[in-house]
Amino acid sequence: MYSQIYSIENLQKAFYKARKGKTKRRYVKRFQKDLPKKLEGLSKELENQTYSPCPRKSFILRDPKTRRITKSAFRDRVVHHALCNFIIPILEKSFIYDSHANQIGKGTTKAIERFDKFKGKVSKNNTRDCYVLKADIKQYFVKVNHEILLGIIKRKITCTQTLWLIRIILENAGEGGAKSYGRGMPLGNLTSQFFANLYLNELDQFVKHKLKAKYYIRYVDDFVFLHESKEQLKKWKIEINNFLKEKLKLELHPSKTHILNLNSGINFLGFRIFCHHRLIRKSNLKNFERKFNKLRILFDEETIGRGDALQSLEGWLAYCSHANTYKYRGDLIKRFSKYFSHGQKLLVHNKKNYTNYVRKLKESELKFSNQKTLYYLRKGLSIRDIALKQNIKKSTVWEHIANLIGYRQLSVWEILPKEKIHKILNKIYSHKERLRDIKGRLKNQDITYDEIACVVASIKSKMGKSPVTE
């Protein structure tokens, strides 16, 4: 296996994986400048077992917990990917279905969907009480024991050179990272993410084969059990804590491990889950509000452009859509339209920032359909061309335009000729009128319902009666 890990072909694949999403970074460009020579040098170091990782850089991340994240040198990330290309397919075969972290096709959304399925089964569609053991492991990444982890890996991988490389990666403490006293893994590594899953796979196997727990979900060191009996969960809690202490040298977090009735709501993976609905945690909402206000200030100071703010909004709206937040999202879109619609604030004063702004405004990054239409209009595309670009009907494009006018992101005078606008305005008696009535009074075949809708939207926007889009 080891000779395949350090082969030039595998290192090249690893380079492309490590580079993904970071092609503009300076350290990637520097490494890529003389790629064949650097990969050959890395291959020889691994072959001769003279490879030594560079010290890591560390930084503090507060989202929402304060965590120390360590960043490996790019050449080391290439080695991590090269190693994982071979060991992950072998080791993850033993993972249970309900381990949801850091795996293709899994994630927080799938874990939440699985929770919903389990709560329906345990509560018999909410006809009886359902209890949840919500557990967390105390200082998990700091306390992972290297010898125990290597023992787990040795069951499936016997190549001594591959095991040497794994040990070297584990023991690389870096600046402010995990202390190399035979325990701990630094946050931020691809290998750390995978090994974190592998280490707690022992707990998964214990839960499934010894405790015979049916409704169990784990995401890294956060896990939940669902059961109709509170007493059963109390017994399992004691047995799990004993197993963690004896076999994995870990323990449950005393203040973050509780047995709760589902009716009171369960905090899990950023959501507060109830019997019939799901909410975003208040702490997450407060964090986004702080971020939103900061974006407003930066936008007003012309430090960032509208594209940067839009990208943050898109990500948050996608996250919120997994909870019951319809009204909240509508209000947020209104606020975004109000505070980020004035002027063309591009980052022309800073070349690097301006390049990033243009990159973020590419169509592949804009998933917000109305904003896509606005983007294409600004580029000078016709209604027909926009419809073809987005693979939608022309009538849908007109709907987007009416919404944009309603939110004052676009002026009706930019879309329609003055003569048409004046003709339509003369025949509108109230903003509450049906389009059919206005069209009947116009008696002009050249003026369409879509054009009338745009003028009506403009009137409504001036009256403060903007529609909710999306």
Side-chain angles (χ1 to χ4, degrees):
M1 181 191 290
Y2 191 67
S3 61
Q4 291 175 299
I5 290 170
Y6 68 71
S7 69
I8 297 295
E9 294 79 13
N10 186 45
L11 288 173
Q12 198 165 24
K13 282 181 190 175
F15 163 74
Y16 288 121
K17 283 186 178 180
R19 187 188 71 168
K20 192 174 180 181
K22 301 177 179 69
T23 52
K24 303 290 183 184
R25 302 287 171 89
R26 289 179 187 175
Y27 57 80
V28 176
K29 288 179 178 177
R30 281 197 298 267
F31 193 90
Q32 196 171 1
K33 220 171 195 179
D34 200 2
L35 185 61
K37 188 177 177 182
K38 283 177 179 170
L39 290 182
E40 191 178 339
L42 201 53
S43 178
K44 283 181 180 176
E45 282 184 45
L46 290 167
E47 183 182 3
N48 300 328
Q49 291 184 276
T50 56
Y51 166 75
S52 179
C54 302
R56 295 188 184 92
K57 292 179 181 178
S58 64
F59 58 94
I60 302 298
L61 183 69
R62 294 178 176 87
D63 189 25
K65 289 191 284 188
T66 301
R67 298 177 186 270
R68 183 182 290 277
I69 308 295
T70 58
K71 184 179 172 184
S72 295
F74 185 72
R75 69 189 291 272
D76 296 331
R77 287 184 239 171
V78 172
V79 173
H80 298 165
H81 278 278
L83 174 67
C84 288
N85 283 346
F86 283 91
I87 66 168
I88 287 179
I90 295 168
L91 295 170
E92 76 174 2
K93 286 178 183 177
S94 62
F95 288 3
I96 66 167
Y97 182 81
D98 285 310
S99 169
H100 286 272
N102 308 315
Q103 296 176 72
I104 295 168
K106 298 290 183 74
T108 54
T109 307
K110 291 289 181 185
I112 294 295
E113 287 173 5
R114 194 73 169 156
F115 188 101
D116 282 344
K117 188 176 180 179
F118 284 173
K119 78 182 183 187
K121 287 186 175 182
V122 175
S123 65
K124 300 287 185 186
N125 290 327
N126 304 313
T127 58
R128 68 178 181 189
D129 281 340
C130 173
Y131 295 95
V132 180
L133 167 57
K134 168 72 176 68
D136 187 279
I137 295 173
K138 189 177 179 181
Q139 296 181 320
Y140 174 52
F141 278 87
V142 176
K143 292 187 176 180
V144 170
N145 187 290
H146 292 179
E147 292 307 317
I148 294 173
L149 176 59
L150 285 165
I152 294 165
I153 295 168
K154 283 175 186 177
R155 293 178 203 161
K156 297 287 179 73
I157 293 172
T158 55
C159 174
T160 53
Q161 292 165 307
T162 303
L163 292 169
W164 166 82
L165 179 59
I166 292 169
R167 188 182 286 275
I168 288 290
I169 290 169
L170 281 174
E171 290 177 352
N172 178 31
E175 297 174 16
K179 307 299 179 187
S180 47
Y181 301 134
R183 65 190 181 99
M185 289 190 301
L187 285 164
N189 272 2
L190 172 70
T191 48
S192 294
Q193 293 169 12
F194 176 69
F195 290 148
N197 250 356
L198 181 66
Y199 198 75
L200 281 182
N201 183 52
E202 299 298 297
L203 172 64
D204 298 342
Q205 301 302 325
F206 172 75
V207 166
K208 287 295 179 183
H209 299 295
K210 299 291 183 185
L211 300 184
K212 306 287 185 184
K214 197 173 180 182
Y215 303 110
Y216 163 77
I217 302 165
R218 181 176 66 80
Y219 190 92
V220 194
D221 60 331
D222 288 335
F223 53 94
V224 290
F225 291 78
L226 290 87
H227 204 274
E228 66 271 16
S229 169
K230 194 173 183 179
E231 297 306 314
Q232 180 64 70
L233 291 177
K234 284 179 181 177
K235 289 177 186 176
W236 283 349
K237 181 182 172 183
I238 295 165
E239 291 181 64
I240 288 163
N241 207 24
N242 291 339
F243 173 83
L244 289 172
K245 285 179 180 177
E246 292 169 14
K247 301 293 183 182
L248 300 177
K249 309 298 181 190
L250 301 169
E251 62 179 316
L252 292 175
H253 201 298
S255 61
K256 294 182 181 179
T257 303
H258 310 284
I259 297 170
L260 303 164
N261 192 309
L262 186 59
N263 291 324
S264 63
I266 308 298
N267 285 326
F268 187 50
L269 303 180
F271 295 93
R272 190 159 178 79
I273 305 170
F274 295 84
C275 290
H276 300 284
H277 65 287
R278 196 189 303 152
L279 302 175
I280 305 290
R281 288 181 68 178
K282 286 184 179 179
S283 58
N284 289 354
L285 289 170
K286 286 178 182 176
N287 286 339
F288 181 77
E289 284 302 316
R290 279 195 289 269
K291 187 177 180 180
F292 187 82
N293 290 331
K294 187 178 178 182
L295 288 171
R296 276 183 60 191
I297 294 165
L298 293 172
F299 181 76
D300 289 336
E301 291 175 350
E302 301 193 17
T303 307
I304 65 166
R306 194 169 185 277
D308 300 271
L310 177 61
Q311 192 177 44
S312 292
L313 180 72
E314 282 182 314
W316 178 246
L317 286 174
Y319 175 75
C320 288
S321 66
H322 298 295
N324 299 78
T325 55
Y326 178 79
K327 288 184 179 179
Y328 169 74
R329 282 179 282 147
D331 177 65
L332 191 56
I333 292 166
K334 283 183 182 179
R335 287 195 288 144
F336 181 84
S337 303
K338 180 180 177 182
Y339 297 124
F340 295 88
S341 60
H342 51 281
Q344 292 284 340
K345 299 188 177 182
L346 302 181
L347 306 174
V348 292
H349 56 279
N350 185 309
K351 188 177 178 182
K352 183 183 174 184
N353 287 347
Y354 181 72
T355 305
N356 289 339
Y357 173 81
V358 173
R359 175 176 59 81
K360 288 171 185 174
L361 276 178
K362 284 182 181 177
E363 65 174 294
S364 60
E365 296 291 326
L366 289 171
K367 299 173 186 174
F368 208 37
S369 56
N370 288 355
Q371 304 304 327
K372 268 191 183 179
T373 298
L374 179 60
Y375 170 67
Y376 288 131
L377 285 169
R378 297 294 186 208
K379 286 185 73 178
L381 271 68
S382 67
I383 304 296
R384 181 177 171 276
D385 291 339
I386 293 170
L388 289 170
K389 273 269 186 185
Q390 297 195 73
N391 195 25
I392 56 178
K393 295 177 182 177
K394 285 200 286 186
S395 59
T396 307
V397 178
W398 277 108
E399 281 178 27
H400 292 175
I401 292 169
N403 284 331
L404 291 164
I405 291 168
Y407 277 134
R408 301 187 186 184
Q409 294 181 30
L410 195 62
S411 171
V412 70
W413 302 96
E414 296 176 69
I415 302 299
L416 302 177
K418 288 182 182 179
E419 297 78 17
K420 274 193 178 182
I421 295 171
H422 287 304
K423 283 179 184 177
I424 296 167
L425 284 170
N426 289 333
K427 299 299 179 181
I428 296 175
Y429 302 151
S430 167
H431 68 275
K432 294 181 180 179
E433 280 190 297
R434 294 182 300 177
L435 299 182
R436 187 196 311 166
D437 297 335
I438 301 166
K439 175 76 171 168
R441 285 196 290 270
L442 279 164
K443 296 177 183 177
N444 190 329
Q445 296 301 318
D446 294 334
I447 297 174
T448 65
Y449 282 102
D450 293 320
E451 290 169 333
I452 297 168
C454 288
V455 177
V456 172
S458 180
I459 294 168
K460 285 182 178 180
S461 72
K462 289 172 185 175
M463 297 174 71
K465 298 181 182 296
S466 303
V468 175
T469 63
E470 295 299 317

